[in-house]
Amino acid sequence: MTADRPNLVAFRIVHRAMRGDARRLADTVERVARGASPCDAARARAIAGYVDTLCDGIHHHHANEDRLLWPVLERSAGAEVDLTALSDDHSHLDPLLDQVRAGARALAAAPGDRAAAGRLATLLGTLRDLLDEHIEDEERTIFPIIDRYVSGADWRAVEDQIRKGSQIRFDLPRMERFAAPDELAELYRMAGPGLRIMVALVRPGYRRRERLIFG
């Protein structure tokens, strides 16, 4: 990857983290709904908080694709790109995210209610499936266009703008969780030693949160 071409490693990790979290939350809450995993008030609140933060991150990501990335693609690639299907997916995401948040709040309000857990598990499964389909489609169709038509400078400008709304205490340790070793090394190389320090600072709190939710 040369400096004047887009480097998609961070975007790939963000996509993988969204998919991975939706999947493991759906699996965890499904076990709660079956009575196979206990869920006291502290765990239910932690699940609801994690769900809320995840949903905020998903909304931030797709809203900024619409606002920042899509115009760059249309300007750079012109007729080579058709974003209709991906934009339609985005329009379906926000109502689903609202339902997922509401389901998580209902579980937090009634930790022992397995029916509430079942409803949330179903919603999370729907979110998982939609993200899987959407992200696979996006990476298959859009990433080659980015690589071919978008300049490195334009891509970095998009990433810089999206990064401004990131949730550092959540996003950085998730990056470490879901990145492959070579991807993580590439991120550290690009960002410099400051990124390692920041990840080390936020890692303990995130890991405690993970243990409470996922075991």
Side-chain angles (χ1 to χ4, degrees):
M1 179 69 62
T2 59
D4 63 336
R5 301 305 310 152
N7 188 324
L8 300 175
V9 64
F11 239 59
R12 291 188 187 278
I13 297 167
V14 169
H15 281 173
R16 193 179 307 133
M18 290 190 296
R19 295 176 69 179
D21 268 342
R23 182 169 304 280
R24 63 180 182 159
L25 280 167
D27 291 346
T28 295
V29 178
E30 191 274 335
R31 290 195 298 274
V32 171
R34 287 192 286 109
S37 183
C39 186
D40 61 11
R43 189 183 190 197
R45 287 194 302 269
I47 290 170
Y50 199 99
V51 165
D52 196 50
T53 308
L54 174 64
C55 288
D56 286 349
I58 293 170
H59 170 77
H60 172 77
H61 183 81
H62 79 71
N64 280 287
E65 285 184 333
D66 290 336
R67 183 175 68 90
L68 299 168
L69 180 55
W70 284 186
V72 169
L73 291 177
E74 289 169 341
R75 184 176 69 246
S76 301
E80 294 294 319
V81 61
D82 181 0
L83 302 169
T84 304
L86 296 176
S87 295
D88 287 346
D89 286 349
H90 288 177
S91 70
H92 295 145
L93 260 175
D94 278 337
L96 176 58
L97 294 175
D98 288 342
Q99 293 172 21
V100 171
R101 289 187 183 98
R105 288 194 299 270
L107 178 63
D113 187 347
R114 288 169 57 183
R119 290 189 291 272
L120 177 57
T122 298
L123 289 166
L124 287 166
T126 302
L127 177 62
R128 173 201 61 210
D129 294 344
L130 178 56
L131 287 175
D132 282 348
E133 181 179 356
H134 172 73
I135 289 172
E136 287 173 7
D137 187 28
E138 182 174 310
E139 293 189 353
R140 182 177 61 254
T141 60
I142 298 303
F143 278 18
I145 292 173
I146 294 171
D147 187 61
R148 181 174 180 182
Y149 292 103
V150 176
S151 70
D154 281 347
W155 178 252
R156 288 188 293 275
V158 168
E159 284 199 306
D160 287 345
Q161 286 296 312
I162 293 176
R163 197 176 296 116
K164 288 180 180 179
S166 65
Q167 305 167 88
I168 291 175
R169 293 183 178 276
F170 186 69
D171 291 335
L172 289 185
R174 286 170 74 238
M175 172 197 73
E176 185 180 51
R177 165 69 63 197
F178 289 100
D182 61 322
E183 292 172 328
L184 196 58
E186 174 71 2
L187 287 181
Y188 285 145
R189 184 194 65 77
M190 291 189 298
L195 181 60
R196 279 185 195 274
I197 295 170
M198 292 174 68
V199 171
L201 288 172
V202 299
R203 182 190 297 123
Y206 179 81
R207 291 288 173 82
R208 287 193 297 270
R209 195 178 185 187
E210 277 193 312
R211 286 194 294 271
L212 179 57
I213 295 169
F214 303 111

